[in-house]
Structure formats: structure tokens, C-alpha cells
Amino acid sequence: MRFLIISHTLHKQEDSSLFAYAPYVREMNLWLKHVKEIEIVAPKTDKPITNIDIAYKRGDIIFNKIPSISFTSVKKSLLSLIQIPVILISIFNACKRADHIHLRCPGNIGFLGCLVQVFFPNKIKTAKYAGNWDPKSRQPFSYRFQKAILRSTVLSKKMTVLVYGVWKNQSKNIKPFFTASFKHKDIILPIERDYSHKLHIVFIGSLVKGKNPLLAIKIVEALLKSGIKVKLELYAEGVLREELQRYIVDNSLEDIVDIKGSQNKETIKETLKRAHFSILPSKSEGWPKAVAEAMFFGTIPIATKISCVPYMLDYGARGILIEANLENAVAHIKKHLKDVDNLKTMSKKAIQWSQNYTLDTFETEIIKLIK
């Protein structure tokens, strides 16, 4: 089988190895274990390899590099419009060679892939929609257009679309899916937390506006001012780090809030085994790994009601759902802190649910899609 991946993810080459964003590559390595030939159509960058990049485990990948496109400025938009025909031809030729077409959506290249795959109705196809599939959410036109093509069983024949969450009134080619970070061997006996003393809260993700780290800090600050002993650790890096650090210093929160930066998987795992809560007041999500990872070890998520997060938290039974509003979020969290028995139940339910979604289970489901 010749397996084709069409992706917007930036790739980097070093000698004979191909690198890309680590969470994406870890997932794709599971797919690529079960196919004979591999071709990837994706943009290439000459930027240096960093600690958030890892290599594919296969050394026989055919890498069909294409330009990266962007519409964030007039200049970039004009350049992208010129490059689109070249990209479409590359995708079309790769689809002709493929036995299985795999789209990574949403994204500009995934958008073009959605258009091209229409001309290959007899080929087996999968699409991983890693964004918010909620039909009621407000999204850019390009995202809504991609979703419309993917859910159409006329335009996307022989296509299985993997989406996060369970949504009503979906076409028959839509398959609720998940992602995973840990293996079955990582399952441990739950550690019962003491919620009556100082609370340890963690933020895991990126220090960008979409993840709302400043709101997380302000929530912890407000809890502290109301007399609750608390500390926050941010295991994250990003463009907002300096701004957040200034806020911490200006508000004398150095002893309460600590930006740890990006850390490896083992450090995150050990932190989650002892933390009380994980906070993620995002503006948008697909399947937030930070939430699922926290639940795996019994850390109770505090997260905004977006995308499939309410489904993941069983609408409040496995975690604390908040609005992206400081006053309301703090009031809701304080209400939950008064019921320690319920917090312990919540932690146990989070573990029971999340530990069903291991990398072993994930790979088993992938094999079914390929075979």
C-alpha cells in the first residue's frame, strides 16, 4: 500500500532524517508502522531543529516538499495565490500515485487536499480533523468550507473523517475519535489528593493568546486573594512569556506563580501524578491533550466549555467547566472547592475515563482504518 499524507505541518530535513512537530510525528509514526510505502506532501522550512521537533521512525519516506502558504498580509496573500496552482498539481499527482489518501485538517494545505480528493472517488481516504468540529461554533470560512466538503458523502467518497467529540446529526462518514499520550503500561493506581491544604495547579500548553494563560494566572491570583492557599506552575513556552513574567512581578506573584517553560514528557507525567488541578481556559481547542493527560493521572481539569471539552469532562462530572470570564470562573471553582468528597469522586471518574484512551488502543483503531 502507498500511503499519502497531505499536511500543512512544517517539515525539516537533516541528512536522511525528516523532522516535524513532535505530537504530530508521534501520531503519524503509529500510522506508518502499518503501511509499505509512504509519501508526504507538506511545506519544508530551513529553520533549525528544536526540542519540539522529532524525526519520523521510517527512513524510506518520499518527501514531496511544497511552499508554505499564508494569508496574514497582502504580500503573503499575493505570493500564496501564485503558489497555489503549483501546490494543487503536486497534490493531484501524489493522489494519483496513492492507494490511501490521508488529509490533516484544518489548514491551508488540508483545504487544498479536500478539493483535490474529490477527483479520486474510488480511492480509500481518511481525514484527521484536529480542530473544533462543533457545528455551532463560530469559525473562519475556510474551516467551515473544509468541514462541509469532508462531511459530504457525495464529494468525499470512501472517506472516513476522524473528529473529536460526539455530535448530533452527522453524516455516516464522520467517526468520533481521540488522541493519546500514554501507553497501557503507564496506568498507575490513583493517588488520593488532599484538597484541604495548599492546592497545586498546573497549566500545560503554549503561552499564546488562544490558550489564555493570563486568565489562568488571574484566576489563581483571585483564589489567593480570597484566602485559598494555591500555587500555579506553567509548563509552557511561547510568545507571551515576557508579558506574563511582567504581570507576575508587577503583582508580586513570584512565590505563587512559576513559569517552568517546556519540559519533557517524563517531567510532565511526574507533575500530573501529584497536582490537584490542571487549568486550560482556552478560546478554541480540538482534543486538548493537556486535559486528557491530566485526567489520566487523576488531576482534575479546569477548562472552558469549548469544542469537545464538555464531552470529555462528562459535562462537569469529570472536571470543572468554566466560562472564559474571571469573576464567573473563580466563583464556580470556589463552589467546587467546598465539596471535597465530590472532588475525590471527580478525580476517580477522570482516571477511569481517560485511561481507556491509551496509545495501544489508539494504534488498534488506526490499524482498523488502514486495513
Side-chain angles (χ1 to χ4, degrees), residues 289-305:
K289 275 191 173 183
V291 171
E293 289 172 359
M295 296 170 76
F296 196 91
F297 296 106
T299 299
I300 298 172
I302 301 170
T304 38
K305 302 174 184 178

Side-chain angles (χ1 to χ4, degrees), residues 6 25 29 39 108 112 116 152 172 189 210 229-230 237 258 292 302 315-316 332 339-340 345 348-349:
I6 300 169
V25 174
N29 278 335
E39 181 173 0
N108 291 329
L112 298 179
V116 173
S152 170
K172 64 181 181 181
L189 290 173
K229 294 180 180 179
V230 64
E237 196 56 79
D258 186 6
I302 301 170
Y315 306 94
H332 196 57
D339 192 345
V340 172
T345 300
K348 290 175 182 176
K349 286 182 177 180

Side-chain angles (χ1 to χ4, degrees), residues 2-13 18-20 24 28 32 37-45 56 60-69 83-114 116-117 120:
R2 189 182 184 95
F3 188 79
L4 169 65
I5 304 167
I6 300 169
S7 173
H8 64 276
T9 303
L10 290 173
H11 285 63
K12 303 172 183 179
Q13 281 184 300
L18 189 62
F19 291 77
Y24 158 79
M28 293 319 305
L32 302 187
E37 298 178 74
I38 308 149
E39 181 173 0
I40 298 175
V41 177
K44 179 179 178 291
T45 177
Y56 289 90
D60 58 347
I61 296 172
I62 299 166
F63 180 47
N64 187 346
K65 62 178 182 285
I66 56 173
S68 177
I69 55 176
Q83 292 170 329
I84 282 175
V86 176
I87 297 170
L88 286 171
I89 291 169
S90 293
I91 293 174
F92 186 86
N93 289 334
C95 286
K96 282 202 299 185
R97 295 187 290 266
D99 298 304
H100 185 129
I101 299 167
H102 180 68
L103 304 176
R104 305 296 297 191
C105 300
N108 291 329
I109 304 303
F111 179 92
L112 298 179
C114 284
V116 173
Q117 64 81 28
F120 297 90

Side-chain angles (χ1 to χ4, degrees), residues 255-268:
D255 294 335
I256 305 302
V257 181
D258 186 6
I259 301 178
K260 297 283 189 180
S262 297
Q263 300 292 328
N264 61 40
K265 190 175 177 179
E266 284 304 311
T267 301
I268 298 297

Side-chain angles (χ1 to χ4, degrees), residues 194-201 219-220 222-224 226-230 276-277 300 302 320 329-344 346:
D194 183 353
Y195 299 96
S196 61
H197 295 291
K198 190 172 187 177
L199 300 174
H200 179 193
I201 302 177
I219 287 172
V220 168
L223 291 173
L224 180 70
S226 67
I228 297 168
K229 294 180 180 179
V230 64
H276 295 91
F277 299 96
I300 298 172
I302 301 170
I320 300 173
V330 171
H332 196 57
I333 293 167
K334 286 170 68 177
K335 178 183 174 182
H336 278 281
L337 292 178
K338 293 176 182 177
D339 192 345
V340 172
D341 289 338
N342 185 53
L343 291 175
K344 291 179 179 179
M346 212 180 260

